[in-house]
Amino acid sequence: MTGAVIWGLLVSSLAVIMVRRRSLAIALVASQSLGLGVYAITQGSGTQVALVVAGTVLIAKALVLPALLIFTVRRARKTRLIATELPALARLAIVVAFALAVEQLIPRFGLPDASVEHVAVGMLALGILTAVVRRAVLFQALGFLIAENGIYLAGLSLPGGLPVFIELGLVFDLVVIVSVAAAFTTKIYEQLGSGDSSLLGVLRD
Amino acid sequence: MGIVLFWGCYVTNALLIAVPVSPLVGALLVRLPRTPAGADRVNIFSASISAAVALTAGVLGALNGARGLHGSWFLLDRAGASFLAVIAVIGWCSAVVSPAYLAGAGKSLFTARRARAWYYTAFHLFWAALLALALVNNLGVAWLLVEATTGASALLVAYSGRTSALEAGWKYLVLTTFGLAVALLGILILFVGLAPHGGTLATLDWQNIARHAAGLAPRTALFALILILVGLAAKIGWAPVHNWLPDAHSEAPPPVSALLSAALLPTVMLVAWRVVLTLGVAVPHHLADNLMVAFGLASLAIAIPFLWRPMAWKRLLAYSSLEHMGILALGIGFASPLASVGVIIHLAGHALAKSLGFYAAIPLARHDPSSAHRAPRGLVRLSTPVAAAAGVSLGSLSGLPPSPLFLSELLILLGGVAAHQVVIVSIAAVLMALGFLGLAHALIETLAGESHGQRWRSGRTVRLAGRLTVALTMGLLALSAGAYLLVDSQAGVNLMAGIA
């Protein structure tokens, strides 16, 4: 995998932490999935099954899910602004610090390319951190996609790849989870007039 | 002879495929009727078929020798068979009480015309994933099924459409999905470590992991184990990654809460248990067992203060789930035959008692809507059947004899002593005693506390609670009797023989 692709994945994940517009964040994650999908197709050109699987994953993650999320954004009418989040640079600093700490904690686990390993773990951490530092529910849903892209990246760099059943199962689960998240997002906007997850705080003991 | 063997394998395979397929078909069939009554009837019919198939498979697995039933994709040893039977019984009970809940549910997340069909569809899909999870012989596939349960059950948690239900459902979706992503990284690390022994899907079969785990690099095994267990803990609701549990259990419709607490949590724990047994040998100092003990103690310690507070009925049951998942984790962590028998009895007893408690919430919410926010009191004066349901449930969950949970907790503690974990056993015993006192106090207040209002009329939901109380109390008593027979047997040694 080329350094440019790896850097592209990392930068797009970090950009989701910073950008304000939901549609831009969706486009960033879609481009990430597209890059990974194209790489998977070039890698899987040896066998027909691998090509079909890579194509399915690409269509689901780079086209179907981003389209679903864009549709959700269009339907979700904002009548209230999201309460003030941390400034973008502060969010970035927190996330980078945590992601680097995670990098240090997880040792090398045997992928052929060390940089891929680091970026895969980093993207998983960034996906989780996106949900922590961003208040909008849609950004939290994008965190699922970033985290899964990190795992997918690691799977692609395995010599024989991930088993086909697991790869298809993963993308099926992802489609289900993101669809459910989109349904929740729509309902949350309908009820609260905002996608601010901090407004969902009535359950306390 | 060969033909007979082939035919036997064919029938077994067909039966085990039918276990998850029956509720999948049910999920499609419930969408056909045009009337609510029709949907209710199809739901109960499909659920009865699904439960019968699953129970038959469970009995076959339990009777088929120590190693149970094996196949290319399935594994049904005695532990798996016990879990399968519990999921079948609780799923059927929840399906049967669902029409009574839906009849008075009011507004929902879905449009009124399609709400019932969506509820039943999601319910049967959720149940299908749970039944398949108890059967599969592969860690990777088990992960996919655990993740699949999230999609269907998150919609069910938020079914009422209230803001609080949306919050609970969203929290559940986010926390468990990210937890499972962490577990997936652990599985990937394990797969990379085991790749020299295949690098195919079968590499993650339980027997393959058990066979080759000792050859893994210690650091690889350690990180894989920690990530998988921590990730699964988020789904099981073990402290300190339990935040979604009280909210989801208290906001979900009662039949779904029962399925979440009595079937989902223990079934994911079966996966964690198998991970501990297969991968634990590859890490030093019994780390896998110690991690389970740590989850167990943390869950107990965090749950107990909440059991001492007056709390809304379903929320109290939710914190009780946290306590009991902690006890089960302790039993697994003690890793002795006695404790393992205790785990299986505890699993079944908790499932029956907890689901009865959640079913009692249906008439409770119907006659006393404020019970969603405050502790119910004086039920004996308001309704005998509902008081009986709440009393049997809380009494059993607190561990009062002759509840099977009394014996199972004793067995787990004795199993800990047998494993030379005396200090841990002492701490756990104190925490369990505190939990007992908290629930006993809640039991007295719920049944005999000061109550206001007139005696409730014996409507459909009250009658249903009465019938379920009789049936599940008989189940609990039968379990207590059976548990005494298991103590002296070799059951604990052979529970997980299928992964060997």
Side-chain angles (χ1 to χ4, degrees), chain A residues 10-12 14 17 22 28-29 35 42 48 55 65 75 78 87 89 99 109 121 128 160 162 170 189 191 200:
Chain A
L10 201 56
V11 168
S12 57
L14 287 169
I17 306 280
R22 295 170 297 176
L28 281 165
V29 176
T42 57
Q48 208 168 7
L65 291 179
R75 278 182 69 191
K78 237 192 286 189
L89 280 177
F109 55 85
V121 172
I128 296 171
L162 282 173
L170 280 176
Y189 271 95
Q191 291 205 0
L200 295 167

Side-chain angles (χ1 to χ4, degrees), chain B residues 250-298:
Chain B
S250 58
E251 290 300 321
V256 176
S257 302
L259 207 54
L260 284 172
S261 179
L264 172 70
L265 308 186
T267 311
V268 182
M269 207 175 57
L270 174 68
V271 180
W273 195 359
R274 294 208 195 275
V275 168
V276 167
L277 286 178
T278 52
L279 204 49
V281 292
V283 293
H285 312 303
H286 300 288
L287 192 119
D289 298 335
N290 293 338
L291 201 56
M292 297 300 279
V293 168
F295 278 132
L297 286 181

